[in-house]
Amino acid sequence: MFGRLQRSEKITMNVALLLLAIIWVVPMVYLVSYSLEGDGGANYGDVLSLKQFPRFLMNSFIVSTSVVVLLLITVSLAAYGFSKLKFPGDASVFAICLIGLMIPPVAMLVPLFQTIKTFHWINTYMSLVGPEVAMVIPFSLLIARNAFDEIPNELLEAAEMDGSGAWGKFVNVILPLAVPVLTTVGILAFLNSWNQYLFPLVFINKEAMLTVTMAPKFFIKEYTSDYHKVFAALVLITIPIVILYIFGQKYMQRGLTSGAIK
């Protein structure tokens, strides 16, 4: 069991957290201040008036939402199987799934490109959704399975006595209790997908299919670049995910600590 923190330990922890906060806040302050230099607020107006910008926003929203939906379906079912439906070799299969945590996305870029090209997904939403879901499954499955392990088996046994099968126990018992961790998985997946730069850069060459992270490059020309507008675009891209985190941080804290204490 954890004991109460001493006063000196609380002060040390708060100072450390303050320093970490400063490290994160200073770049954001610089980003916003630099985006207001030159033409000031007009930089934001120029970004918003970019005719492709609404399309980029819609593409990012479609891709990120699709990633979240597919990921939650896949991870919730897989975590339920690994946690509550024991089968021969389940530990080995789970370990194989976690190998993805050790492989950086860049290392998978060439085989991913060949796969997407084979399926004729170039310049489609699936070229962004499929790889993104595959890349975030290992970590999402890890935290979801740990949370599912916390759910008492007695609840499932009681549901079975009431006539529920495997699917009924999943829908009526597991899912309602797994809302915090699944919300965490969804928020993290949305943030990661929204900020994705590599996949749109490699898999999309059609302007109408680009995502919002590609917007800054429209202000970087071959011989001249307006970096004030680039920074303004970066600020606008950041706003939706900051809002999402503010409203979802309560669930994220609960979800990330699920399975931490047995």
Side-chain angles (χ1 to χ4, degrees):
M1 296 294 293
F2 295 101
R4 290 182 175 273
L5 294 176
Q6 300 297 322
R7 183 179 180 85
S8 59
E9 293 174 331
K10 290 182 180 179
I11 294 175
T12 302
M13 183 177 294
N14 288 332
V15 170
L17 292 174
L18 179 61
L19 292 175
L20 288 174
I22 292 174
I23 292 173
W24 282 99
V25 169
V26 168
M28 292 299 299
V29 172
Y30 176 78
L31 176 66
V32 174
S33 62
Y34 196 75
S35 69
L36 292 172
E37 293 182 5
D39 296 332
N43 292 327
Y44 290 91
D46 291 338
V47 175
L48 293 173
S49 62
L50 186 69
K51 66 177 183 179
Q52 303 96 331
F53 196 73
R55 178 70 184 184
F56 296 163
L57 283 174
M58 185 180 71
N59 289 339
S60 290
F61 181 78
I62 291 174
V63 170
S64 299
T65 304
S66 300
V67 167
V68 170
V69 172
L70 289 177
L71 181 69
L72 289 181
I73 293 173
T74 304
V75 167
S76 60
L77 290 172
Y80 174 56
F82 284 120
S83 177
K84 302 302 182 184
L85 304 178
K86 300 301 181 180
F87 55 91
D90 57 345
S92 300
V93 175
F94 184 71
I96 293 174
C97 292
L98 297 186
I99 291 177
L101 289 171
M102 298 176 282
I103 304 176
V106 175
M108 297 294 294
L109 203 54
V110 173
L112 277 175
F113 184 83
Q114 293 298 330
T115 302
I116 289 172
K117 186 177 179 181
T118 301
F119 285 124
H120 304 289
W121 284 352
I122 298 294
N123 290 321
T124 66
Y125 289 131
M126 280 306 300
S127 67
L128 305 178
V129 175
E132 189 67 35
V133 171
M135 289 299 174
V136 297
I137 277 180
F139 178 72
S140 302
L141 180 58
L142 177 63
I143 62 175
R145 186 208 174 176
N146 288 341
F148 284 19
D149 285 343
E150 273 194 343
I151 299 176
N153 291 327
E154 289 77 9
L155 294 177
L156 301 180
E157 293 171 0
E160 187 174 359
M161 292 179 63
D162 290 337
S164 295
W167 179 253
K169 290 184 283 186
F170 173 70
V171 173
N172 299 320
V173 179
I174 297 293
L175 285 184
L177 297 175
V179 169
V181 70
L182 293 181
T183 302
T184 300
V185 167
I187 291 175
L188 291 176
F190 189 94
L191 298 183
N192 195 63
S193 178
W194 185 274
N195 289 326
Q196 183 60 252
Y197 180 82
L198 183 61
F199 292 159
L201 181 66
V202 176
F203 302 141
I204 303 294
N205 52 49
K206 186 178 179 181
E207 187 174 290
M209 294 300 299
L210 293 175
T211 57
V212 74
T213 51
M214 296 290 105
K217 79 172 189 177
F218 283 81
F219 300 101
I220 301 177
K221 308 300 181 182
E222 185 175 0
Y223 299 106
T224 59
S225 300
D226 193 337
Y227 287 104
H228 300 301
K229 292 183 176 60
V230 171
F231 276 63
L234 293 174
V235 172
L236 292 173
I237 293 170
T238 306
I239 290 175
I241 60 177
V242 170
I243 295 175
L244 178 63
Y245 176 76
I246 290 174
F247 286 99
Q249 61 178 331
K250 177 179 67 175
Y251 296 102
M252 290 185 65
Q253 291 169 359
R254 291 173 57 189
L256 288 174
T257 54
S258 296
I261 301 175
K262 296 291 185 181

